[in-house]
């Protein structure tokens, strides 16, 4: 392990990066299919089938990144895993119930009798809503240091309201890219409306995060950090403006640039994640445990790293292959 330098320092950093990348990929990939589920009640039956068809080849694989992230947290930072999941036990329970309900409804809605399809469509929406709201609530509590004070719970409720809007937005951007005609026009309207919620949610988190901790406040607003970090919020603002402009000009006559809103939304999520990662580093449990204090023994981490170097490329290759094979516009939903 000498090629890694001091393994007690390098290995926790490597696994923190792997954990962060897994969470980011999950938020983007499962975010768009959760968003499609959240938008499904706004569509007609025919359009709803097309929406489900657009995420059908991807949604199951997208959730693999959540499993990977939780697994990495457990094996690489077991102390943090216990502290975080103990504090977030109830929202994690709601998240799991939502994901189960959503997965079951996804399959059963196509096989149930016609008079029962509406019930499964509602279950699909409800499962998506439960998953999105619980994730937003967990994010808010994490930002507030896993404290169960009145202010922390109020902020968690705010993020629980705005994360589903963010997922709805990236889900609408996905539909703009994967559909055409009347459904694409509806997706454009959904995206234009939800963009305002995304901007307000990012602004709220940007103001609340430095207020949650004096350490984070100093990292962002002291000199010269405030100058050096200025490009991050400025880039986020520029992406919001680009998204607004793109949504005003779509669709084009030949459907070019339909991919742009989804690409810009992905960049926006990436910038927001980078801001949060910078704010909390080196803590994995805010203001309680650093990645170095919570990490497993270097010998264990090295063995896990070998396994991660095998598993991670396989997941990436499978995901890339599925997106390549099912590229283009979504076709008619069929279960043969």
């Amino acid at each position: 392990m000498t090629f890694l330098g001091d393994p007690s320092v390098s290995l926790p950093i490597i696994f923190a990066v792997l954990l962060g990348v897994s969470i980011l990929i999950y938020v983007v990939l499962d975010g768009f299919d959760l968003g499609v589920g959240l938008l499904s009640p706004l569509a007609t039956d025919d359009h709803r089938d097309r929406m489900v068809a657009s995420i059908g080849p991807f949604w199951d694989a997208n959730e693999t990144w959540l499993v990977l992230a939780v697994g990495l947290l457990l094996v690489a930072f077991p102390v943090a895993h216990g502290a975080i999941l103990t504090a977030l036990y109830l929202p994690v329970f709601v998240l799991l119930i939502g994901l189960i309900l959503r997965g079951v409804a996804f399959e059963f809605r196509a096989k149930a009798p016609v008079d029962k399809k509406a019930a499964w469509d509602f279950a699909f929406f409800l499962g998506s809503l439960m998953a999105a709201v619980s994730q937003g609530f967990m994010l808010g509590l994490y930002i507030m240091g896993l404290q169960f004070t009145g202010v922390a719970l109020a902020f968690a409720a705010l993020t629980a309201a705005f994360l589903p809007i963010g997922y709805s937005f990236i889900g609408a951007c996905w539909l703009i890219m994967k559909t055409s005609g009347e459904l694409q026009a509806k997706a454009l309207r959904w995206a234009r409306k939800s963009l305002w919620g995304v901007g307000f949610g990012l602004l709220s988190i940007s103001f609340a995060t430095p207020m949650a901790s004096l350490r984070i406040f100093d990292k962002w607003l002291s000199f010269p950090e405030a100058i050096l970090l200025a490009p991050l919020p400025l880039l986020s603002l520029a992406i919001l403006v680009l998204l607004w402009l793109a949504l005003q000009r779509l669709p084009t006559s030949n459907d070019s640039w339909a991919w742009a809103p989804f690409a810009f939304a992905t960049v926006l999520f990436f910038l927001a994640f980078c801001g949060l990662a910078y704010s909390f580093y080196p803590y994995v449990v805010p203001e309680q445990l650093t990645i170095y204090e919570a990490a497993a023994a270097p010998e264990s981490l090295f063995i896990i790293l070998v396994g991660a170097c095998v598993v991670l490329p396989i997941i990436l290759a499978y995901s890339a292959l599925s997106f390549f094979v099912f590229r283009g516009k979504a076709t008619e939903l069929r279960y043969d």
Side-chain angles (χ1 to χ4, degrees), residues 16-326:
V17 171
L18 290 176
L19 177 61
V21 169
S22 300
I23 293 173
L24 175 61
I25 294 176
Y26 170 77
V27 167
V28 173
L29 296 188
D30 207 37
F32 76 72
D33 61 54
L34 283 172
V36 170
L38 291 169
L39 293 169
S40 61
L42 304 177
T44 62
D45 287 341
D46 290 342
H47 286 166
R48 194 176 297 116
D49 284 344
R50 185 61 59 88
M51 292 165 68
V52 171
S54 75
I55 63 173
F58 312 108
W59 73 274
D60 209 6
N62 291 346
E63 293 180 357
T64 304
W65 294 100
L66 177 62
V67 177
L68 178 63
V70 174
L72 286 173
L73 181 65
L74 172 62
V75 299
F77 305 104
V79 179
H81 178 273
I84 292 173
L85 291 193
T86 298
L88 301 177
Y89 186 88
L90 182 58
V92 168
F93 174 77
V94 174
L95 170 63
L96 292 176
I97 295 298
L99 292 177
I100 292 171
L101 180 62
R102 184 169 171 274
V104 171
F106 190 95
E107 299 296 336
F108 277 36
R109 67 177 300 279
K111 302 171 184 175
V114 175
D115 59 330
K116 298 293 193 299
K117 186 177 179 180
W120 287 113
D121 282 338
F122 177 74
F124 181 56
F125 162 74
L126 182 61
S128 301
L129 181 64
M130 291 172 65
V133 169
S134 60
Q135 289 177 23
F137 190 80
M138 288 188 284
L139 173 63
L141 281 182
Y142 186 85
I143 290 173
M144 299 303 290
L146 300 178
Q147 301 176 26
F148 287 84
T149 63
V151 173
L153 291 173
F155 181 73
L158 182 68
T159 54
F162 279 104
L163 188 63
I165 295 176
Y167 282 166
S168 297
F169 173 72
I170 198 170
C173 292
W174 172 260
L175 292 173
I176 293 169
M177 181 174 65
K178 297 293 288 185
T179 62
S180 58
E182 186 180 350
L183 179 54
Q184 187 186 55
K186 284 185 177 181
L188 280 164
R189 291 196 294 271
W190 297 334
R192 289 166 189 155
K193 292 178 180 178
S194 56
L195 179 60
W196 294 101
V198 171
F200 186 79
L202 289 175
L203 188 65
S204 300
I205 292 176
S206 298
F207 275 105
T209 303
M211 298 298 112
S213 164
L214 181 61
R215 179 187 62 83
I216 298 176
F217 185 92
D218 290 338
K219 288 184 75 171
W220 278 97
L221 299 176
S222 60
F223 184 83
E225 285 82 358
I227 303 299
L228 297 174
L229 293 170
L232 194 60
L234 291 177
L235 278 173
S236 299
L237 179 59
I239 293 296
L240 284 171
V241 172
L242 285 173
L243 276 165
W244 185 82
L245 291 173
L247 292 173
Q248 302 308 310
R249 287 161 172 75
L250 289 172
T252 57
S253 57
N254 58 356
D255 206 33
S256 60
W257 296 94
W259 55 269
F262 185 77
F264 290 152
T266 300
V267 174
L268 187 63
F269 274 54
F270 172 75
L271 292 173
F273 183 84
C274 287
L276 286 175
Y278 172 78
S279 295
F280 290 103
Y281 177 82
Y283 287 90
V284 64
V285 179
E287 313 307 323
Q288 298 179 40
L289 285 172
T290 66
I291 58 174
Y292 310 107
E293 295 168 338
E299 295 79 9
S300 300
L301 290 178
F302 183 76
I303 295 173
I304 298 166
L305 180 61
V306 173
C309 289
V310 175
V311 172
L312 195 58
I314 294 175
I315 299 175
L316 285 169
Y318 172 78
S319 298
L321 179 63
S322 64
F323 279 96
F324 176 77
V325 171
F326 295 101

